[in-house]
Amino acid sequence: MATRTDVNTLGEFGLIDRLTAPFQLRQPSSLLGIGDDAAIIDTGGHEHLVVSTDMLVEGIHFDFAYTPLKHLGYKAVAVNVSDICAMNARPQQITVSIALSNRFSVEALEELYAGIQAACEAYGVDLVGGDTTSSTKGLIISVTAIGRAPASRITRRSGAKAGDLICITGHLGSAYLGLQLLEREKQIYLANPGTQPEMKPENKDLYAAILRPEARTDMVDLFAKNDIVPTAMIDISDGLASELMHICKASQVGAILEEANVPIRPEAQLQALEFNLDPITCALSGGEDYELLFTIDPKDLEKIRFLPDIYIAGEIVPTADGIKLHTVGGNIHDLKAQGWSHFG
Amino acid sequence: MATRTDVNTLGEFGLIDRLTAPFQLRQPSSLLGIGDDAAIIDTGGHEHLVVSTDMLVEGIHFDFAYTPLKHLGYKAVAVNVSDICAMNARPQQITVSIALSNRFSVEALEELYAGIQAACEAYGVDLVGGDTTSSTKGLIISVTAIGRAPASRITRRSGAKAGDLICITGHLGSAYLGLQLLEREKQIYLANPGTQPEMKPENKDLYAAILRPEARTDMVDLFAKNDIVPTAMIDISDGLASELMHICKASQVGAILEEANVPIRPEAQLQALEFNLDPITCALSGGEDYELLFTIDPKDLEKIRFLPDIYIAGEIVPTADGIKLHTVGGNIHDLKAQGWSHFG
C-alpha cells in the first residue's frame, strides 16, 4: 500500500521545503526564489523587483464573527506589503484573486474592495490584476505584491553577522492579545446571543493590531533617508522567536535576545496577565504584528539610536553560541519557536 | 434595509468591473492595469514585465473524480502561462499559493507539485514563491505568472483595426467535449460504482485538452522568428465568441467570423454530434482550449500564410458593422457570447 503522510506531521515550513526541494532556478532573471519574504527578480535595470504572495482563508486566517470586511480587505494588502518592506523595497503593484461562495452579496464585496482600495492609497500601490471566482465554501483571498528597490538596498534574511545588533520596529504581542479578546467575546456571544460584545476602548490598539495591521513602509523610507541598509530583515508574521530563528538559519548565526528590550505595550502586558499568560510569551510566539525584525552592523548604531520606533533587543552571535533568550530575571534559556501552525 | 445584490446577477466580468471601477493607477510603472490578459509593468529597461494571476477552485474549476493531481498542477501553471503568451511575452517566473484541507496527504501534494514542476520545465519558468495553508474545504490553487517582452512586441487586446485578419492557433471545442465525456463517465460511475470508466483512445486529444492543456509559448517564439507582432491578442479560456467580443470591445471594432474557418478536430465534431450539440457552438462557447486568438495587419498575411497551426478565421470590421458569424450555410448572425459563468 502507498505511504500516506499527514500534512500535519511536517509543519508549514517542513511541508514547503519538501514540496519545493526538487525545483531549481533556471532563468538568469530569478535572483532569489523560495525561502525569503519575497523573491528577487532582475529587470536588467539598476533596480530589482521583489515579489511576494499570501493567501488568507476564511475559518483559518479570519473569522467573520469579528472581522469587518473592510478591515479584511485592508489587511490582505497590508500583510503582502509587509513582505515587500521586509526586503527593504517599496511596494508598487498588487494583484488580488478572490474565491467566494454566493452567500456574499455584491455590497459585501464592495466593502471588501473599499478596504483593499484604502490600503492601496495608504501604501501607494496600484491594483493591476486579479481573478474573481466562486468557491464552494467561504472566502479566500490571494494577494501578490510587487515592489522594487535598488539592488544595493535589497535586504535578505541571510546577511546577519556575529556582532550585528537585533532591532524591532514596534510593539509585539498586541495582535495575539487582540485575537484572544475577540475570541473570548465571540464565545460569550455564542453562549448568550443577546449580549453585546464588550470592546473596551483602552484595548483599541490590541483590536487594531489583529484586525487592521499596518505594514512598515515608513521604515523603508526611514532607512533610505538615514542611509541605513539592514544586514538582514524579516517581517514578524509568525512570532518574534520563529522569525529570529529564520534569520539565524538563513545567515548561519546565533543570537541572544534581551527580554527586557522586547517592546510590549502596557495594555498588552495587562491583558496578558488577565489571560494568565506571560507577556514575553505573547511577544515571542504570538505573531501577526507585522513589525520588522532586522539586524544592523554595529557601526550604524549612531544612525539608528535616536530614530523613532526602533528598539535594539539583542545581538547576533556565532552559530556555536546558539539562539538564546536573556530573561529579565538574569537567566539564559534556549529560545523556542512556537509560531502559529495552520496545520497544527 | 440595506440593498442586497446577488453576485450571480452581474456575471464575472460585470462584477469585476463594478468592484474595480473606483481604483486608479498612480504608479508611473503601472503601464496597464485590470482589463487585459495581464498587467504591464515598466521596469525602466527596454523590456516590460507582464503579470497575470488565476485561481482554480475544487468543485468549480476541477473535479477530483476525473482530474489527476499531476495534471491539475500542470494545468494551473499552463493557464497562467497562457495569459503571458496572450501578451506576446515570454513567461519567466511563477508563484503558487495553495490552500488545502487535511484530507490531502503529503504524497498527494507531491503529485500536484510534480505536475507544477513538469510545467515549469516545459515552459522554462521558475517557481520563485508561494504560500501553503490549510482550508476548511477542498483545494484552492492561486498562481501568479510573470513574463517579459520588449516594449515594442507586447500585444494588448486593444490594437485591432478594421481590415485586420482574425487568426486562431489551433482546434477549439476539444476541451469542452472532453469535459462532457468525463462528466458522462462520472455519472455512469456514480450510478454503477462497479463499472470501469470507458476512455476511448480515439478521444484522447479531447481528454488531454481539458485535463492537461498546453500554453502556446511556441507561438510567441514563432511570432518573434517571423517578425510578426499581432495587432491584438487574447487567450481562449472562455470560448471563442466571448474572447472575440473582448478584443472588439477593447479595440472598439466589429468582426466577422467565418464558421467554415474555425478549426474543430474531426473527433470533436463526431463527439459533438453524439451529444446532440452543434460543433460550432462547442467552439464558440466551450472555453478552456487555451489557444490564442489574435489579429494581424493584412500586410502580414504573407508572413503567416504558411506557418503551422495558424487558421485565418475572419476579419475585423468597423464597429457599426457589429460582431457577426458567417455560417457555412451562408447566413449572417449576431455572434452571441455564452462563456462559462462561474457564478451562473
Side-chain angles (χ1 to χ4, degrees), chain A residues 241-283:
Chain A
S242 162
E243 308 302 358
L244 183 56
M245 286 178 172
H246 283 309
I247 283 185
C248 288
K249 188 180 170 191
S251 300
Q252 296 183 281
V253 293
I256 182 141
L257 190 67
E258 295 291 338
E259 178 182 349
N261 296 348
V262 173
I264 304 175
R265 286 181 195 286
E267 60 268 39
Q269 307 240 16
L270 280 172
Q271 204 53 57
L273 299 174
E274 196 183 312
F275 281 118
N276 279 321
L277 296 167
D278 190 344
I280 188 67
T281 306
C282 298

Side-chain angles (χ1 to χ4, degrees), chain B residues 3-20:
Chain B
T3 308
R4 188 190 190 283
T5 310
D6 195 287
V7 289
N8 297 320
T9 56
L10 297 178
E12 185 180 350
F13 301 116
L15 181 64
I16 292 172
D17 284 350
R18 178 151 162 192
L19 294 174
T20 60

Side-chain angles (χ1 to χ4, degrees), chain B residues 299-321:
Chain B
K299 75 173 166 47
D300 284 337
L301 175 60
E302 289 310 313
K303 288 185 189 168
I304 68 150
R305 194 164 207 150
F306 301 108
L307 293 180
D309 263 12
I310 292 182
Y311 302 82
I312 301 173
E315 192 180 322
I316 296 296
V317 297
T319 322
D321 293 348

Side-chain angles (χ1 to χ4, degrees), chain B residues 25-178:
Chain B
L25 299 184
R26 291 153 202 268
Q27 290 283 354
S29 61
S30 303
L31 300 182
L32 182 68
I34 288 166
D36 213 305
D37 291 78
I40 306 176
I41 295 175
D42 187 353
T43 63
H46 85 290
E47 289 192 318
H48 291 331
L49 288 198
V50 295
V51 181
S52 173
T53 190
D54 257 311
M55 196 182 247
L56 300 181
V57 180
E58 182 183 349
I60 307 292
H61 301 93
F62 57 90
D63 183 334
F64 280 123
Y66 47 73
T67 307
L69 276 158
K70 196 169 172 180
H71 285 4
L72 176 64
Y74 194 96
K75 181 171 177 172
V77 177
V79 303
N80 277 280
V81 166
S82 180
D83 281 323
I84 301 301
C85 294
M87 306 301 289
N88 201 22
R90 288 190 171 84
Q92 297 201 323
Q93 285 87 19
I94 57 165
T95 65
V96 176
S97 290
I98 291 184
L100 69 147
S101 70
N102 59 14
R103 81 168 205 267
F104 293 91
S105 67
V106 174
E107 288 75 15
L109 279 174
E110 285 180 323
E111 270 294 292
L112 183 75
Y113 272 78
I116 292 171
Q117 196 186 1
C120 283
E121 285 173 11
Y123 300 121
V125 301
D126 290 338
L127 176 70
V128 295
D131 193 13
T132 306
T133 183
S134 57
S135 79
T136 49
K137 189 178 173 192
L139 181 74
I140 296 110
I141 310 181
S142 177
V143 177
T144 298
I146 298 174
R148 67 173 72 193
S152 61
R153 298 198 60 79
I154 287 185
T155 305
R156 304 178 183 211
R157 295 180 182 177
S158 55
K161 302 174 307 296
D164 285 357
L165 302 172
I166 299 170
C167 306
I168 301 166
T169 59
H171 299 93
L172 301 181
S174 299
Y176 179 75
L177 287 159

Side-chain angles (χ1 to χ4, degrees), chain B residues 33 59 157-158 174 178-179 218 244 255 305 333 335 339:
Chain B
R157 295 180 182 177
S158 55
S174 299
L179 181 63
D218 59 332
L244 183 57
R305 194 164 207 150
H333 298 305
L335 196 65

Side-chain angles (χ1 to χ4, degrees), chain A residues 40 42 76 96 150 176 220 255 266 270-271 298 302 304 307:
Chain A
I40 307 176
D42 187 352
V96 176
Y176 179 75
V220 177
L270 280 172
Q271 204 53 57
E302 289 310 313
I304 68 150
L307 294 181

